[in-house]
Amino acid sequence: MRQLISLIAVALVAACSVEEPSRPQVMVFAQKDFERIYVWDLAPETWADRPTLVIAEKDSLYPMAPDAEVMLTCEPDGSLEVWGNTYGFATDVGGPLPLLPMFGLRSRDVSLLAEPIWEYGGYEKSAHYVLRPSKTQLRQLLGGPWFEVSEMYSDGSGATRYPSPPNDLANAFIRHCQAMTEAR
């Protein structure tokens, strides 16, 4: 009987001491660091034929070309196409780490996921994906205290959290999206 109790006690201690894998750190940009490196902007009509909200590096080819980290493009059916440099992966040196089958965007109040659509070219593969947010979800996504590109790698890494776009910019983008959808 003592052996059974000892065995049960050891099993309980072992079960309680199993560590849950820690969630990898999310790369977080403070407002001042974001403003030093990046800019939120509405893409110019010279290359964006639909409303497009971007996070672009200040030293990139943007706004002359679609060279941005993340681009959110409204589609006439109300969907949101997500693309950009963040979703490009080099394949000439063994390829990227194993990627998740779903990519997405998050804010404090909403998380939206979609399956990536892959394109291959030369030594790179890139992805874009289509989200179908409701009007409320789009407002929550762009109006929360932060905006996050969710994890991309199977180890849980690859998430980046940015400050949300300025309210006037987010509201203008949402208005342009709604006008395009209503005109359809």
Side-chain angles (χ1 to χ4, degrees):
M1 184 66 161
R2 281 186 184 202
Q3 291 175 341
L4 182 60
I5 293 173
S6 295
L7 186 59
I8 292 172
V10 169
L12 285 173
V13 169
C16 291
S17 66
V18 173
E19 292 183 29
E20 287 188 38
S22 62
R23 186 172 191 265
Q25 294 291 325
V26 173
M27 183 185 311
V28 177
F29 283 94
Q31 186 70 38
K32 75 174 191 173
D33 294 329
F34 178 86
E35 290 172 354
R36 184 174 43 84
I37 301 169
Y38 297 104
V39 62
W40 276 103
D41 197 16
L42 289 174
E45 292 180 5
T46 53
W47 57 262
D49 62 348
R50 294 162 302 199
T52 302
L53 185 63
V54 302
I55 298 174
E57 283 190 44
K58 288 184 174 182
D59 294 340
S60 69
L61 293 175
Y62 181 83
M64 296 172 289
D67 181 23
E69 291 302 298
V70 179
M71 294 179 262
L72 310 174
T73 301
C74 292
E75 298 295 331
D77 66 358
S79 63
L80 194 65
E81 184 177 1
V82 184
W83 53 299
N85 296 343
T86 294
Y87 303 104
F89 304 94
T91 58
D92 60 338
V93 289
L97 297 170
L99 296 162
L100 287 172
M102 301 292 271
F103 290 168
L105 301 176
R106 273 188 263 230
S107 70
R108 181 184 63 200
D109 299 321
V110 67
S111 179
L112 303 169
L113 298 172
E115 186 175 337
I117 301 162
W118 293 101
E119 295 177 18
Y120 298 88
Y123 296 104
E124 180 180 271
K125 73 178 184 177
S126 60
H128 68 277
Y129 54 97
V130 178
L131 299 172
R132 302 199 187 299
S134 67
K135 291 177 185 178
T136 301
Q137 288 174 322
L138 185 57
R139 286 195 184 287
Q140 290 173 328
L141 182 66
L142 300 176
W146 43 267
F147 174 88
E148 184 176 291
V149 175
S150 67
E151 297 88 354
M152 289 186 281
Y153 300 106
S154 60
D155 67 357
S157 65
T160 305
R161 184 174 291 177
Y162 303 98
S164 292
N167 284 336
D168 58 336
L169 191 64
N171 290 335
F173 175 70
I174 291 168
R175 275 193 314 276
H176 292 309
C177 292
Q178 289 173 344
M180 184 178 65
T181 302
E182 291 167 3
R184 183 177 169 223

